[in-house]
Amino acid sequence: MLLSHLRFAFLGLFIATASFVNAEEVDIVFPADSGVVDVTKPPYNAKGDGVTDDTAAINAALADHNFGTTLERSMAATIYLPAGTYLVSDTLAAKLERSGDHPLNAIRIVGQGKDKTTIKLKDKSPGFTNPGVWKPVIRTGYAAIGSRTGQQTSSNQGNSGYNNYVEHLTVDIGRGNFGAAGIHYDVANVGQIQDVRIIATDPMQRGSYGLGIFTTSGIGYVKNVEIIGFDIGIRVEHTVNNIVFENITLTNQRVYGVYNEGKLASFVDLTVRNVPIVLSTFRPQAATFIFGLDAEGPGSGNAISMRDRSFLYIRDGNLTGYTGGLWVRRGGTPVELPLGAINEWWSHGLPVSEGAASLRLPIEPTPEFYEGDLTGWVNVTEFGATPNDPTDDDAPGIQAALDHAGKSGDKTTVYFPFGLYHINQEVVVGDGVRKLDFVHSVVYAGDNAEAQIRVRQSAGQTVNLDNLYRHVRIVHDSDGVLAIRNHKGNHSGRFMTSDRATGDLFIENVGPHARTMIQGDIRAWLRAINREKSELINDGATVWFYGDNVETMVRKTGDPERARRIAPIMTRNGGTTEYLAGCMDPLNFTHTMQDGALFVTIDSTLSANAAGEVRRGRGGGDARWPFIARSVMGGETDRVVREDVLYLDEGESPWPKRWVLPMYRVEPDGTTTQTTERR
């Protein structure tokens, strides 16, 4: 069952931190007929006894259930490691060879809990003992890794790593493995590391990193992760895409807590203990946003180190145990970063909203629910759903399973054994159901326009819709709370609220093309959303939005009026939106003012911190966003264009370059404009 705890404000400041599931107390289990691959069962027969080498068994499971370049190549097969210590002597990875443009290997490696399941590297394992050659214990990528002293290289693109998950386990790199890293995480479009501990307790350990995210990986979500030891806790490189972190604890790193070479990296609730340098950035394109920082250093040195002056934002921070706040090797002197309590601080001035402050909407955690008693699970196939049969409609069977669970009083979780399902009519989730676990199955919506999932629960009830591959339209039509987590889309689908919904809405780790419309007087929290070319419309609601990802807004449509229209963050009809750490990439398309603005606000309130890329355009010139924001307040229009924002680069090369909108805040002036504008 769900167990949570609260972490409170410090320093007398109001800090809107979240409460999270207590990862030490969850019990992650699956029914035997769920399609989840238990590595301790035949044909793999891993032992998990801390003595037997389980490398071959786990890697065989990863290879056998990798979908390669098939139609559903990024369905995330779940490889499950029940409680135990799994001794390994080589990297755990599917290790597919590259073939075609997108050789994908969506894999979900799941333990029973981070205090129950441990993957431990054998002491002095061959290939891991050279501190000049980094070699991870887990890799979610698909091709061979090339390494050399001081730098990780890859022969592939991390942005082909769709739908990769590592959850509910501990990675221990053992002793004498001086080149061992914890996890090399390739991720794209959607994917997550959650409830994971990565430890290097050997006092002689040198080199490497706990968590590395390389090349063009992103968007990815890293949540509830603890890293102990290593030279570097978290290392991210390259300039494009963004990685979204939440509830991260870094302890006893020898050099850096976070090393950001040039990517957009954002943190909500970052705790750092006994680390010489909290954050180091390498290129001016690095952009780092931190909302809630508690760092206690070893007693000397600067808390932050920049080789070049890159962008940094800190809100609700506390820096103690350091003798200086910020040191920049070159690129000019930034404003001073104070030690002690930090209310809200930018490394650069605010070119658009001078003197503005963020809204500070309360940050609520996404509800999570885990049923540890398998008698509380209901299988949709036992009520008539037939996966992998495209000729029938699975909606009646799914509905029957939901109705049974709702009436039973002791059935909490309705699950979809791993496969492909088809619905041609509406499915309604009513009272009594706590969770739909799709186990990363596909749900196809038929031609019927009513083929959707409608959530209709009473006040005081909460339901999770977790782990769905391919979007089907989901309608929040409830007085209760709806939480949508871990949904991989197929460039279609929509999340929307009805005009009668009053309950809170949470959407976490979904995309791409997550089209979302939130209306009415409700509250919503959105995390790690890959919108790409799709709009978010806030029509009178209160929305906290952390970790957006946008790509070119050139639409693939035959309608000339819509072919180049940007799908914005739209806030209207008195809505309130706080937008944190969005990443906006035009790819190689040269957009125009006529395409529209990235943010549109009409008689409503918006505060935004955003960043993005500038690339080489097709046919020459720069590919960038010319029109950043438009607000209409009481009939008066104001615009923010590209000349108004910050640009961080290294001159002529390398590309892409970085732009930043440090703070943009607009709110109504008391008058209103009647409009139904959607663009």
Side-chain angles (χ1 to χ4, degrees):
M1 300 294 182
L2 178 66
L3 296 168
S4 63
H5 68 282
L6 286 172
R7 286 170 296 113
F8 296 96
F10 54 84
L11 301 174
L13 296 172
F14 171 74
I15 301 178
T17 56
S19 63
F20 294 90
V21 168
N22 190 334
E24 290 82 358
E25 298 179 13
V26 299
D27 192 27
I28 307 299
V29 295
F30 300 95
D33 59 0
S34 64
V36 168
V37 180
D38 184 338
V39 298
T40 66
K41 306 297 184 183
Y44 307 110
N45 300 313
K47 301 303 181 184
D49 57 11
V51 177
T52 305
D53 190 331
D54 289 320
T55 310
I58 299 172
N59 272 335
L62 290 169
D64 289 349
H65 298 276
N66 184 287
F67 288 84
T69 56
T70 64
L71 175 64
E72 303 304 337
R73 62 183 182 265
S74 52
M75 289 175 65
T78 300
I79 309 301
Y80 178 56
L81 283 65
T85 297
Y86 296 81
L87 201 63
V88 299
S89 56
D90 200 356
T91 299
L92 299 180
K95 297 182 180 177
L96 293 185
E97 295 299 324
R98 185 179 179 91
S99 61
D101 292 333
H102 292 286
L104 310 175
N105 77 316
I107 288 296
R108 184 184 180 210
I109 303 174
V110 183
Q112 194 166 341
K114 73 176 183 180
D115 285 332
K116 299 181 177 72
T117 298
T118 297
I119 297 172
K120 185 173 182 179
L121 184 63
K122 278 186 179 180
D123 294 347
K124 300 181 180 179
S125 288
F128 291 89
T129 57
N130 184 349
V133 179
W134 304 341
K135 185 176 173 65
V137 176
I138 295 177
R139 166 127 197 226
T140 61
Y142 50 83
I145 306 169
S147 303
R148 62 178 181 269
T149 301
Q151 185 174 351
Q152 179 77 39
T153 62
S154 299
S155 60
N156 54 72
Q157 288 188 307
N159 67 351
S160 292
Y162 296 174
N163 224 29
N164 283 321
Y165 289 78
V166 181
E167 302 174 306
H168 309 295
L169 52 80
T170 287
V171 176
D172 184 341
I173 68 165
R175 291 178 175 269
N177 297 307
F178 306 122
I183 300 175
H184 176 139
Y185 188 48
D186 283 348
V187 61
N189 278 351
V190 64
Q192 177 175 258
I193 296 178
Q194 177 183 354
D195 297 337
V196 168
R197 180 186 296 117
I198 307 171
I199 56 177
T201 55
D202 187 342
M204 298 302 294
Q205 176 69 29
R206 292 291 184 271
S208 75
Y209 54 87
L211 172 61
I213 303 170
F214 301 101
T215 68
T216 53
S217 283
I219 184 173
Y221 185 43
V222 181
K223 169 183 179 181
N224 301 352
V225 169
E226 178 185 10
I227 301 175
I228 302 170
F230 302 95
D231 276 4
I232 302 171
I234 295 171
R235 176 168 183 148
V236 295
E237 72 167 22
H238 210 275
T239 55
V240 301
N241 298 330
N242 60 329
I243 305 295
V244 181
F245 298 88
E246 188 164 6
N247 193 29
I248 307 298
T249 300
L250 306 175
T251 306
N252 294 337
Q253 281 73 53
R254 290 183 176 82
V255 185
Y256 307 125
V258 177
Y259 181 83
N260 181 2
E261 181 171 333
K263 196 181 282 288
L264 172 59
S266 54
F267 296 82
V268 164
D269 198 7
L270 173 63
T271 300
V272 182
R273 291 289 182 269
N274 192 35
V275 178
I277 299 174
V278 173
L279 167 70
S280 180
T281 62
F282 183 71
R283 291 181 173 145
Q285 292 96 326
T288 311
F289 295 85
I290 306 176
F291 308 89
L293 170 65
D294 183 7
E296 184 177 327
S300 64
N302 291 282
I304 310 292
S305 173
M306 296 179 179
R307 192 190 75 162
D308 298 272
R309 187 184 176 190
S310 61
F311 179 79
L312 173 63
Y313 167 83
I314 299 175
R315 189 180 84 184
D316 296 332
N318 184 33
L319 291 172
T320 61
Y322 298 93
T323 53
L326 174 65
W327 178 75
V328 180
R329 187 184 306 175
R330 64 187 187 190
T333 303
V335 295
E336 181 181 359
L337 172 63
L339 295 176
I342 301 169
N343 182 38
E344 192 164 21
W345 180 90
W346 292 268
S347 58
H348 295 66
L350 305 183
V352 175
S353 301
E354 183 68 31
S358 56
L359 280 172
R360 294 179 178 272
L361 294 180
I363 302 174
E364 294 290 341
T366 303
E368 297 178 32
F369 180 82
Y370 303 100
E371 178 58 84
D373 182 354
L374 291 177
T375 65
W377 293 61
V378 176
N379 185 341
V380 297
T381 67
E382 294 181 359
F383 291 82
T386 55
N388 309 317
D389 180 358
T391 65
D392 70 344
D393 183 4
D394 292 318
I398 296 169
Q399 189 65 66
L402 289 166
D403 293 344
H404 172 75
K407 294 174 182 176
S408 69
D410 61 354
K411 307 292 186 183
T412 63
T413 302
V414 175
Y415 69 102
F416 294 64
F418 189 61
L420 281 64
Y421 296 82
H422 301 76
I423 64 171
N424 295 310
Q425 56 190 291
E426 183 174 80
V427 171
V428 178
V429 183
D431 287 347
V433 178
R434 289 296 312 274
K435 183 174 182 176
L436 276 67
D437 194 334
F438 296 93
V439 201
H440 289 274
S441 293
V442 169
V443 176
Y444 286 109
D447 294 333
N448 190 325
E450 297 302 317
Q452 61 188 12
I453 298 174
R454 182 179 297 272
V455 177
R456 184 175 288 159
Q457 291 198 320
S458 302
Q461 299 207 25
T462 299
V463 64
N464 275 75
L465 274 59
D466 288 2
N467 307 321
L468 174 63
Y469 177 86
R470 286 191 179 269
H471 291 325
V472 61
R473 185 166 61 244
I474 297 174
V475 181
H476 180 29
D477 188 29
S478 177
D479 297 328
V481 176
L482 170 61
I484 299 167
R485 302 178 60 244
N486 306 339
H487 284 217
K488 164 69 169 66
N490 64 326
H491 300 271
S492 65
R494 167 166 286 187
F495 306 118
M496 57 191 304
T497 61
S498 73
D499 57 5
R500 64 167 299 278
T502 61
D504 291 346
L505 173 65
F506 296 83
I507 303 176
E508 175 180 291
N509 186 41
V510 303
H513 288 237
R515 304 172 63 207
T516 306
M517 180 172 182
I518 303 169
Q519 61 180 322
D521 187 19
I522 72 169
R523 303 182 303 169
W525 287 266
L526 314 181
R527 290 167 162 89
I529 309 298
N530 186 11
R531 289 191 303 126
E532 291 200 3
K533 303 172 181 67
S534 300
E535 72 269 17
L536 167 70
I537 298 176
N538 174 1
D539 193 359
T542 299
V543 176
W544 180 84
F545 192 173
Y546 169 53
D548 186 22
N549 190 71
V550 170
E551 292 184 6
T552 174
M553 290 296 184
V554 177
R555 293 175 176 271
K556 296 178 180 179
T557 173
D559 182 352
E561 295 300 317
R562 291 175 55 82
R564 291 294 300 268
R565 299 299 297 275
I566 286 177
I569 296 283
M570 165 79 74
T571 309
R572 65 188 187 195
N573 292 331
T576 297
T577 302
E578 183 169 20
Y579 180 91
L580 307 177
C583 183
M584 297 173 171
D585 184 357
L587 297 182
N588 302 109
F589 293 92
T590 303
H591 294 79
T592 69
M593 289 291 292
Q594 288 71 33
D595 295 337
L598 292 167
F599 297 95
V600 176
T601 310
I602 303 172
D603 295 320
S604 298
T605 300
L606 169 71
S607 74
N609 303 85
E613 278 92 44
V614 181
R615 294 175 178 256
R616 294 187 187 275
R618 294 183 178 180
D622 291 349
R624 64 175 77 197
W625 305 108
F627 199 174
I628 308 299
R630 178 167 63 89
S631 66
V632 181
M633 301 293 172
E636 298 294 325
T637 299
D638 187 48
R639 294 182 174 187
V640 176
V641 296
R642 67 184 184 184
E643 289 79 13
D644 297 323
V645 300
L646 299 173
Y647 287 90
L648 311 172
D649 61 54
E650 289 182 336
E652 294 299 319
S653 64
W655 293 80
K657 304 176 189 295
R658 175 77 63 204
W659 67 268
V660 181
L661 179 65
M663 169 54 64
Y664 173 64
R665 181 161 177 173
V666 291
E667 49 201 322
D669 57 6
T671 59
T672 60
T673 302
Q674 296 298 319
T675 181
T676 58
E677 180 176 357
R678 299 185 66 85
R679 289 281 178 268

